[in-house]
C-alpha cells in the first residue's frame, strides 16, 4: 500500500464528494487519501465486475484496472449494471469506463480489452496492489490465484450461480490460497456456467459488493478480512454461512515444498478439450441451418430440447420435444418420452453444452444416430428465427 507520506491530497471537490465517508470515526481524510492512492485490478466487467468497479470508483479508489474481452449484449443488462441499452454492442471495458467517468471523473481507469492468459497475467498484475476476480470459469480463477501467489498479492474471489454466492480473500502471505480450497478443478461440464445454469440478477450485486468491501478494508487496514474464511450466501433464505479455511502444507504453489513456480497451461489443467477431442465433438454437431432445412423438408427425425421446463416456457422451437438433461442422464428409458434408439435424433439446449452431455449419455444407452445442435436455441434465434427470444 502507498506510504502515508506520499499519499495524494484530496481536491476540494473530492472533499465534498466523500464527506459522508470521511466523517466516519477512524476513517477521516487519511483513509480517503489511502483509497485515492490505491490501485485495484478488476478481472471482468460483467455481473460481479460491474457493481465492484462502480462502488470502488464511488468510494474513491483512485486507480482501477478493467480487463475484459467481451461486448455488451442485451442479455447482460439484467445484472451487469455498469452497462445499458445505449452501450449494447460496445466493448464492455469501454462501456464500464464511460460509466465510471460519469460517476466519478477523478478516477484513473486503465482498460485491457483482452483475455487474461498465462502470457500476460504477470505483467498486468504487477501494476496493481489488489486483484479482484469477477469471472465465472475455473481456468481464470486458478490462473489469477497462482499469479497472485507468485507476486505475493491478495486475490479477492467471488462466485455466483442461480441463487447462491461465495466470497473469500486468498492471500498466501497470511493464509490459504485458492488451490488450498480447491486442489483440483471439477470435471468439465459438472458445474454449469452462469449462462447455462442462470443467475438471479440481484445476486452478483450482493456478492460483488462483498468483494468491494473486502478491497476497502484491505486498503485501509481495518476490520477482519475474509482471509481464511469462505462466506456462503443463499439468496432464497437470506442465510449467510461461514467455513473456516486452512492453509494446505502440501499445496503445490503456496505449501512448504511448492512444485509450481511459474504459470502453467490452465485450460489443460482444468480439462478443457484438446484440439483432437474438440474435433471429435465437432463431428457430433449439426448446424442450425441444417436443422432448419431438415424441418422444412419434413425429414423424419426427432428434435429434443434438453433444457429445463422453466427455460422451455421462455422460448422454444415449435417442433421440439422437451426431455430435460437430468431425465436423460438418469438413463431410465421410461423418462425418455418413447425415444427409439434406432431413430435419428437432434438434441439442443441453450448454447450447446448440455445437448452434448445428453448426446454422450444417450450413446451409452445404445442410441447411435445422434447430433447436437451447435450453438443451441440462442444460435437458432440469431440465425434462423428472431421471433424466438434470447435469454
Amino acid at each position: 500500500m502507498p506510504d502515508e507520506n506520499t499519499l495524494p491530497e484530496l481536491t476540494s471537490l473530492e472533499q465534498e464528494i466523500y464527506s459522508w465517508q470521511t466523517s466516519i470515526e477512524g476513517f477521516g481524510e487519511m483513509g480517503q487519501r489511502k483509497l485515492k492512492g490505491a490501485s485495484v485490478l478488476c478481472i471482468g466487467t460483467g455481473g460481479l465486475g460491474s457493481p465492484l468497479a462502480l462502488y470502488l470508483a464511488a468510494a474513491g479508489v483512485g486507480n482501477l484496472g478493467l480487463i475484459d474481452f467481451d461486448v455488451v449484449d442485451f442479455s447482460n443488462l439484467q445484472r451487469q449494471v455498469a452497462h445499458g441499452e445505449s452501450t449494447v454492442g460496445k466493448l464492455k471495458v469501454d462501456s464500464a469506463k464511460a460509466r465510471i467517468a460519469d460517476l466519478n471523473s477523478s478516477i484513473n481507469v486503465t482498460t485491457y480489452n483482452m483475455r487474461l492468459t498465462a502470457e500476460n497475467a504477470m505483467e498486468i498484475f504487477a501494476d496493481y496492489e489488489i486483484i479482484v476476480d469477477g469471472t465465472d470459469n475455473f481456468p481464470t480463477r486458478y490462473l489469477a490465484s497462482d499469479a497472485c501467489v507468485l507476486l505475493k498479492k491478495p486475490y479477492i474471489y467471488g462466485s455466483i450461480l442461480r441463487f447462491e454466492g461465495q466470497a473469500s480473500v486468498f492471500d498466501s502471505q497470511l493464509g490459504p490460497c485458492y488451490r488450498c480450497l480447491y486442489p483440483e478443478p471439477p470435471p468439465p461440464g459438472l458445474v454449469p456456467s452462469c449462462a447455462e445454469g442462470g443467475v438471479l440478477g440481484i445476486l452478483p450485486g450482493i456478492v460483488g459488493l462483498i468483494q468491494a468491501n473486502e478491497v476497502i478494508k484491505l486498503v485501509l487496514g481495518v476490520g477482519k478480512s475474509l482471509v481464511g474464511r469462505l462466506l456462503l450466501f443463499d439468496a432464497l433464505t437470506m442465510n449467510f454461512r461461514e467455513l473456516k479455511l486452512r492453509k494446505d502444507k502440501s499445496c503445490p504453489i503456496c505449501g512448504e515444498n511448492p512444485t509450481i513456480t511459474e504459470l502453467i497451461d490452465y485450460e489443460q489443467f482444468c480439462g478443457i478439450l484438446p484440439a483432437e477431442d474438440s474435433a471429435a465433438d465437432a463431428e457430433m454437431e449439426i448446424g442450425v441451418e441444417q436443422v432448419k432445412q431438415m424441418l422444412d423438408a419434413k425429414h423424419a427425425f426427432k428434435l429434443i430440447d434438453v433444457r429445463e421446463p422453466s427455460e422451455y416456457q421462455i422460448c422454444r422451437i415449435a417442433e421440439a420435444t422437451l426431455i430435460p438433461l437430468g431425465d436423460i442422464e438418469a438413463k431410465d428409458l421410461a423418462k425418455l418420452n418413447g425415444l427409439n434408439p434406432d431413430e435419428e435424433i437432434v438434441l439442443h439446449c441453450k448454447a450447446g453444452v448440455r445437448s452434448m452431455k445428453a448426446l454422450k449419455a444417450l450413446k451409452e444407452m445404445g442410441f447411435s444416430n445422434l447430433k447436437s445442435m451447435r450453438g443451441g436455441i440462442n444460435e437458432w434465434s440469431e440465425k434462423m428465427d428472431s421471433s424466438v427470444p434470447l435469454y
Side-chain angles (χ1 to χ4, degrees):
M1 302 300 170
D3 183 274
E4 291 190 5
N5 295 321
T6 61
L7 289 173
E9 298 290 340
L10 302 180
T11 66
S12 57
L13 176 59
E14 288 171 332
Q15 289 175 339
E16 179 179 355
I17 289 174
Y18 306 126
S19 60
W20 283 38
Q21 198 159 263
T22 55
S23 64
I24 300 172
E25 184 178 354
F27 191 111
E29 184 173 317
M30 183 56 70
Q32 196 62 55
R33 290 173 60 195
K34 287 181 180 179
L35 290 181
K36 185 175 181 179
S39 57
V40 178
L41 177 68
C42 303
I43 307 173
T45 54
L48 291 172
S50 287
L52 169 67
L54 292 182
Y55 271 84
L56 290 181
V61 173
N63 304 283
L64 290 177
L66 308 176
I67 180 167
D68 206 319
F69 62 93
D70 203 0
V71 298
V72 181
D73 184 82
F74 278 108
S75 65
N76 301 148
L77 304 184
Q78 156 257 12
R79 65 203 176 281
Q80 300 183 16
V81 295
H83 316 296
E85 292 186 9
S86 64
T87 61
V88 167
K90 296 183 179 180
L91 295 174
K92 284 186 178 180
V93 289
D94 291 345
S95 171
K97 182 176 182 177
R99 178 69 185 93
I100 289 171
D102 183 51
L103 179 67
N104 191 339
S105 61
S106 69
I107 305 302
N108 175 41
V109 179
T110 303
T111 59
Y112 305 87
N113 177 40
M114 61 185 69
R115 187 187 297 271
L116 185 69
T117 68
E119 287 70 40
N120 61 28
M122 298 292 279
E123 181 180 358
I124 294 173
F125 285 17
D127 293 331
Y128 299 91
E129 301 154 22
I130 299 172
I131 312 299
V132 195
D133 188 356
T135 62
D136 68 346
N137 67 86
F138 289 99
T140 303
R141 289 170 185 163
Y142 281 100
L143 164 60
S145 175
D146 284 0
C148 286
V149 172
L150 295 174
L151 292 169
K152 300 180 179 177
K153 296 177 184 284
Y155 164 70
I156 300 182
Y157 158 76
S159 175
I160 52 174
L161 183 64
R162 299 184 179 121
F163 295 96
E164 298 178 345
Q166 300 180 359
S168 188
V169 176
F170 296 105
D171 187 339
S172 61
Q173 304 300 296
L174 302 173
C177 75
Y178 183 74
R179 282 183 183 269
C180 294
L181 175 61
Y182 298 114
E184 297 288 340
L190 181 64
V191 179
S193 68
C194 290
E196 286 291 325
V199 64
L200 180 69
I202 303 297
L203 184 64
I206 296 169
V207 176
L209 293 187
I210 289 173
Q211 291 179 286
N213 188 57
E214 292 303 299
V215 169
I216 291 175
K217 290 192 298 179
L218 289 181
V219 172
L220 298 180
V222 299
K224 180 182 179 182
S225 80
L226 283 174
V227 170
R229 297 185 291 155
L230 178 67
L231 189 66
L232 306 175
F233 172 64
D234 185 333
L236 288 179
T237 62
M238 284 306 293
N239 181 43
F240 285 90
R241 294 188 297 122
E242 182 181 297
L243 300 179
K244 298 292 185 183
L245 305 180
R246 295 181 181 274
K247 194 175 185 71
D248 182 0
K249 294 181 180 180
S250 62
C251 177
I253 193 166
C254 78
E256 295 178 347
N257 298 293
T259 56
I260 298 175
T261 57
E262 59 184 18
L263 299 183
I264 62 174
D265 184 335
Y266 293 91
E267 299 283 318
Q268 183 183 58
F269 174 69
C270 292
I272 305 301
L273 290 175
E276 57 269 23
D277 290 338
S278 296
D281 271 7
E283 292 181 1
M284 296 186 284
E285 291 183 318
I286 184 172
V288 293
E289 299 88 350
Q290 293 171 271
V291 176
K292 182 68 163 60
Q293 289 172 4
M294 292 164 65
L295 291 172
D296 290 345
K298 307 298 182 182
H299 182 77
F301 77 105
K302 284 285 185 70
L303 180 60
I304 303 300
D305 187 335
V306 304
R307 298 175 301 154
E308 294 300 309
S310 58
E311 296 174 275
Y312 188 75
Q313 291 174 4
I314 296 171
C315 61
R316 71 195 72 172
I317 300 172
E319 296 84 352
T321 299
L322 177 67
I323 307 178
L325 174 61
D327 289 347
I328 294 173
E329 291 186 322
K331 298 183 180 179
D332 182 351
L333 287 173
K335 294 183 177 181
L336 300 187
N337 203 19
L339 278 188
N340 185 334
D342 297 322
E343 63 189 334
E344 185 176 358
I345 298 171
V346 174
L347 304 145
H348 89 78
C349 59
K350 181 180 180 181
V353 176
R354 283 174 286 175
S355 57
M356 187 62 73
K357 292 175 69 177
L359 183 150
K360 293 175 180 178
L362 287 172
K363 283 188 71 175
E364 292 174 2
M365 298 173 65
F367 288 75
S368 58
N369 198 354
L370 301 164
K371 290 289 185 180
S372 169
M373 191 171 81
R374 186 184 308 112
I377 199 168
N378 278 357
E379 192 158 327
W380 179 272
S381 172
E382 292 171 354
K383 293 183 177 181
M384 296 294 108
D385 186 356
S386 60
S387 69
V388 175
L390 288 165
Y391 70 101

